Amino acid sequence: MQTKQYSVQVCEVSLTDENKFISFFDTNYNFFKNHLILINGEVTKKVEDYLNGKGLRFIVNITLPKKQSSKKVNKELDNEKQKLIDTQKKLEAKILELINSESNDLKVLDTLVRSGQELKIDGDLLLLNRVNSGANIIVDGNLIITQIVDGSIRCYGKFMMLKASPKANIIFHDVEVDNSFLKDRLNRVELKNDEILITPVLKETNWGV
């Protein structure tokens, strides 16, 4: 499919009296001939024939999107930024809560795990970066990864928290986890009564790739 974008000058006019309307356009024809005319009101056959005869381009009773002021746009951007900050703070608080209550010999890393790289961790791991496709992480304890996982994960702790892409291979206690349950948000995976449970950490969470 091909698309084109045009910059068009639009003049909006109300039509209540066809004779005054036609007289107005006769007087100002040189101005309107290069504009798209938006007419609000009932366009009679006489008016339609006049406009077509003059070669004027027009549309009728259509609501066009209004350009937002820079002040309003900036306010909306500030609101979105604040929402992201609030969500980030909630996530950090939740992660710290889990670490403090269930951590055992925690290791914290803030490095990208690249393709071909393998990490083996005896205790718990908090990874503040992404895991690329072809990378492999094996953790005996609990695992928290705050960014997207494309690689291979093996976790044998009480729980893990991560967000995985369809390319990832996630194994929890020797059971493969369905990636469709791990997309779009940070999820907690845990084993209870020999059953794997997956729950979102925060329902509104949406981590960027």
Side-chain angles (χ1 to χ4, degrees):
M1 181 177 69
Q2 293 183 338
T3 62
K4 292 184 179 180
Q5 183 175 349
Y6 296 92
S7 295
V8 179
Q9 291 181 306
V10 180
C11 286
E12 186 172 353
V13 183
S14 296
L15 171 56
T16 55
D17 184 298
E18 61 180 16
N19 291 325
K20 290 182 179 179
F21 180 90
I22 291 172
S23 176
F24 175 76
F25 273 86
D26 272 337
T27 303
N28 299 282
Y29 171 76
N30 287 331
F31 173 77
F32 284 109
K33 67 180 181 180
N34 295 319
H35 288 70
L36 175 64
I37 304 164
L38 169 58
I39 303 173
N40 293 319
E42 182 180 353
V43 177
T44 62
K45 183 68 166 53
K46 180 178 178 181
V47 169
E48 183 178 357
D49 289 343
Y50 168 81
L51 293 170
N52 288 331
K54 287 287 188 178
L56 296 172
R57 295 168 295 276
F58 63 95
I59 53 178
V60 181
N61 296 327
I62 294 177
T63 302
L64 297 177
K66 303 296 183 181
K67 183 178 180 180
Q68 292 182 321
S69 66
S70 58
K71 183 177 180 180
K72 184 176 181 180
V73 171
N74 289 335
K75 184 177 180 181
E76 290 180 354
L77 288 174
D78 289 340
N79 289 338
E80 289 300 317
K81 289 179 182 177
Q82 189 59 50
K83 287 180 182 178
L84 289 174
I85 292 171
D86 292 342
T87 299
Q88 179 71 21
K89 288 180 178 178
K90 289 180 182 179
L91 281 169
E92 290 173 352
K94 186 67 176 179
I95 289 172
L96 287 173
E97 176 188 339
L98 290 167
I99 290 171
N100 293 331
S101 63
E102 303 184 57
S103 173
N104 177 29
D105 190 21
L106 175 69
K107 183 168 186 173
V108 180
L109 296 176
D110 189 13
T111 56
L112 173 68
V113 185
R114 301 181 183 280
S115 178
Q117 187 176 359
E118 181 174 280
L119 294 180
K120 291 184 178 181
I121 308 296
D122 292 332
D124 298 340
L125 173 63
L126 170 59
L127 178 63
L128 303 174
N129 215 311
R130 62 178 292 143
V131 181
N132 280 354
S133 178
N136 187 30
I137 297 178
I138 302 173
V139 181
D140 289 336
N142 303 318
L143 172 65
I144 299 174
I145 304 176
T146 61
Q147 295 199 37
I148 190 72
V149 174
D150 289 324
S152 178
I153 301 294
R154 302 289 186 277
C155 179
Y156 297 94
K158 294 179 182 178
F159 74 92
M160 63 180 180
M161 289 168 51
L162 49 77
K163 172 188 172 182
S165 78
K167 296 183 288 185
N169 178 235
I170 311 297
I171 304 296
F172 187 59
H173 288 275
D174 297 321
V175 177
E176 185 173 358
V177 180
D178 186 347
N179 285 356
S180 64
F181 295 109
L182 301 176
K183 64 181 182 178
D184 299 330
R185 59 173 63 90
L186 195 66
N187 294 276
R188 177 185 172 102
V189 183
E190 56 190 328
L191 191 64
K192 288 187 177 180
N193 299 323
D194 296 325
E195 182 181 1
I196 292 180
L197 301 178
I198 302 174
T199 54
V201 177
L202 290 175
K203 290 184 178 180
E204 69 271 23
T205 303
N206 189 4
W207 288 83
V209 175

